[in-house]
């Protein structure tokens, strides 16, 4: 096995390990991972709107689905489920009745804060054990990796689409 194959294999294993780490967050949370991430994004949108003195009290479903990388129907279904639990509510825009914002309720804020505190304790311990400098490097490298993936992805998708449109025929 040459160095290129070895490095590719190690990268795939590392990415899979990171994926496993981030999908097993239920160990620390009292709510499902998808709900936690959704609440986190809604809260961040609410804080951003407040800081920028915007009239929007939350986030629209379309933006939420975009940020979470899920379909609008999936996002809407999740919000409905969270609404039944009392974590979220829908608020109609005062300027355009067609626009609906998703906000966290007080109960949703409390559940999010409790889960953030759990994560914070674990993350702080990890940061201390790994080291702040190394964590900063990891964050930098992850951001750089994401930039490169976003740069390469369109070409990959174009190549896949081209291959589907023009399949190579094998000789008979």
């Amino acid at each position: 096995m040459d160095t290129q194959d070895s490095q590719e294999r190690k990268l795939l294993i590392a990415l899979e390990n990171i994926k496993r780490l981030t999908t097993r967050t239920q160990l620390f949370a009292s709510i499902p991972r998808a709900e936690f991430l959704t609440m986190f994004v809604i809260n961040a949108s609410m804080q951003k709107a407040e800081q920028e003195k915007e009239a929007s009290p939350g986030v629209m479903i379309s933006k939420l689905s975009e940020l979470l990388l899920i379909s609008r129907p999936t996002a809407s279904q999740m919000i409905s489920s969270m609404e039944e639990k009392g974590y979220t509510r829908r608020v109609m825009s005062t300027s355009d009745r067609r626009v609906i914002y998703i906000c966290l309720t007080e109960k949703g804020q409390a559940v999010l804060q409790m889960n953030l505190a759990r994560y914070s304790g674990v993350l702080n311990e990890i940061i201390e054990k790994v080291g702040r400098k190394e964590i900063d490097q990891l964050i930098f490298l992850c951001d750089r990796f994401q930039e490169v993936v976003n740069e390469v992805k369109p070409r990959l998708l174009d190549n896949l689409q081209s291959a589907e449109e023009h399949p190579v025929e094998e000789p008979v």
Side-chain angles (χ1 to χ4, degrees), residues 60 91-101:
M60 294 189 304
V91 177
M92 189 181 308
S93 168
T94 55
S95 59
D96 186 345
R97 296 178 58 111
R98 296 171 294 175
V99 177
I100 305 290
Y101 294 102

Side-chain angles (χ1 to χ4, degrees), residues 110-167:
V111 169
L112 176 63
Q113 293 309 316
M114 180 186 70
N115 282 276
L116 283 173
R118 287 181 181 175
Y119 281 113
S120 180
V122 172
L123 290 175
N124 277 323
E125 185 175 344
I126 292 169
I127 290 167
E128 291 306 316
K129 288 184 182 232
V130 172
R132 294 190 180 279
K133 185 176 181 180
E134 288 86 351
I135 293 295
D136 286 341
Q137 289 172 337
L138 176 62
I139 292 167
F140 172 81
L141 290 172
C142 286
D143 289 346
R144 176 72 178 118
F145 187 82
Q146 185 66 45
E147 287 173 15
V148 173
V149 167
N150 288 337
E151 181 183 315
V152 171
K153 193 192 278 184
R155 286 196 307 272
L156 175 65
L157 293 174
D158 287 346
N159 290 342
L160 288 172
Q161 187 176 21
S162 178
E164 288 174 359
E165 291 172 359
H166 309 287

Side-chain angles (χ1 to χ4, degrees), residues 41-91:
V41 169
I42 294 169
N43 187 60
S45 297
M46 290 171 64
Q47 288 178 342
K48 182 181 176 194
E50 189 177 302
Q51 288 171 351
E52 296 176 1
K53 308 263 190 277
E54 292 178 5
S56 62
V59 63
M60 294 189 304
I61 283 280
S62 57
K63 184 67 174 174
L64 184 64
S65 67
E66 178 186 315
L67 292 169
L68 292 172
L69 302 173
I70 59 176
S71 69
R72 286 184 190 176
T74 300
S76 185
Q77 191 175 34
M78 186 178 320
I79 293 303
S80 293
S81 170
M82 292 172 66
E83 207 169 17
E84 288 174 16
K85 295 175 184 177
Y87 298 156
T88 60
R89 63 187 169 91
R90 297 170 199 253
V91 177

